[in-house]
């Protein structure tokens, strides 16, 4: 089972991805978490990504694609994965499709949440890149660079649009029904 979580920052992708990964029994692969680990470890990638992330901009495609491809080539990802925060650009989506084949992704779960609720959720998480300016920039970046992926995946017939403005349990049950996994 290979699933992509799509949606604006603050939509609940991470929360849901963890639960789906547990239910399905595949790894949760979150590029934001991987990049934060690289920053904390002070690796070359981390040094390249740090300032970009603190502004809420996107880390360049070549760096993120290389990191993601290495991760999904590991043994534990052979049976599938839940991607959280990747792809975020059309270039990343094309790289994923090149790697997995055109029917390599089973479902793209798109979480829809009203904009005011997103800002409120992000500001309440208290992450270091969740200051008001950065939060607003992340939403602008999402609309410009990531939202076009809704059309991209819809055209491939794998988009599952989910109302993300429900309780976490409600969202989870809706996703499980949409991807055909009983819980
Ligand atoms: P997230 O935890 O998914 O909100 O990601 C936190 C930050 O990491 C983002 O604001 C970006 O700066 C960076 N990031 C995470 N995933 C990607 C990606 N697929 N492409 C580019 N930058 C990313």
């Amino acid at each position: 089972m290979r699933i992509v979580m799509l949606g604006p920052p603050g939509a609940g992708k991470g929360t849901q991805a963890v639960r789906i990964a547990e239910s399905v029994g595949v790894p949760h692969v979150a590029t934001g978490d991987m990049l934060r680990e690289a920053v904390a470890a002070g690796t070359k990638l981390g040094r390249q990504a740090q300032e970009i992330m603190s502004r809420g901009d996107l880390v360049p495609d070549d760096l993120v694609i290389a990191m993601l491809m290495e991760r999904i080539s590991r043994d534990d990802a052979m049976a599938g994965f839940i991607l959280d925060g990747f792809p975020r650009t059309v270039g990343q989506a094309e790289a994923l499709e090149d790697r997995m084949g055109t029917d390599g992704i089973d479902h793209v779960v798109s979480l829809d949440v009203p904009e005011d609720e997103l800002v409120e959720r992000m500001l309440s998480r208290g992450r270091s890149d969740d200051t008001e300016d950065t939060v607003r920039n992340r939403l602008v970046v999402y609309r410009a660079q990531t939202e076009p992926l809704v059309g991209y995946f819809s055209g491939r017939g794998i988009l599952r649009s989910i109302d993300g403005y429900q309780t976490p349990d409600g969202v989870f049950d809706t996703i499980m029904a949409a991807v055909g996994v009983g819980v």
Side-chain angles (χ1 to χ4, degrees):
M1 176 77 86
R2 301 194 191 105
I3 295 178
V4 167
M5 302 299 292
L6 190 63
K13 296 188 297 294
T15 305
Q16 297 299 331
V18 168
R19 290 184 64 176
I20 301 163
E22 257 173 41
S23 302
V24 178
V26 294
H28 167 222
V29 175
T31 45
D33 289 349
M34 294 168 73
L35 289 167
R36 279 185 288 278
E37 278 165 27
V39 170
T43 64
K44 184 173 173 217
L45 172 64
R47 292 196 302 275
Q48 288 167 306
Q50 185 162 27
E51 207 190 304
I52 299 170
M53 292 171 74
S54 69
R55 286 196 306 264
D57 289 331
L58 295 186
V59 175
D61 275 359
D62 56 340
L63 299 179
V64 181
I65 290 168
M67 178 183 80
L68 190 274
M69 293 302 163
E70 187 281 321
R71 176 65 189 88
I72 64 175
S73 69
R74 292 190 219 157
D75 284 351
D76 68 338
M78 289 298 138
F81 43 71
I82 313 297
L83 295 189
D84 166 10
F86 185 100
R88 259 180 160 96
T89 64
V90 171
Q92 292 177 19
E94 287 170 348
L96 184 64
E97 193 171 278
D98 283 351
R99 168 68 164 256
M100 308 305 312
T102 42
D103 53 4
I105 299 296
D106 301 300
H107 307 280
V108 175
V109 171
S110 170
L111 296 179
D112 303 319
V113 175
E115 181 121 356
D116 289 350
E117 173 72 10
L118 294 174
V119 174
E120 207 168 290
R121 286 187 191 181
M122 276 190 275
L123 291 177
S124 69
R125 321 194 269 210
R127 218 166 73 184
S128 69
D129 60 342
D130 279 342
T131 63
E132 181 128 16
D133 282 352
T134 307
V135 159
R136 300 232 173 252
N137 187 43
R138 287 224 301 279
L139 285 169
V140 169
V141 167
Y142 172 79
R143 301 282 175 224
Q145 302 201 56
T146 308
E147 203 165 37
L149 295 180
V150 172
Y152 179 95
F153 288 120
S154 170
R156 280 156 179 69
I158 53 175
L159 190 78
R160 321 285 173 237
S161 290
I162 305 288
D163 176 10
Y165 196 33
Q166 313 176 56
T167 62
D169 284 348
V171 176
F172 179 68
D173 292 345
T174 311
I175 294 172
M176 289 289 112
V179 303
V181 176
V183 279

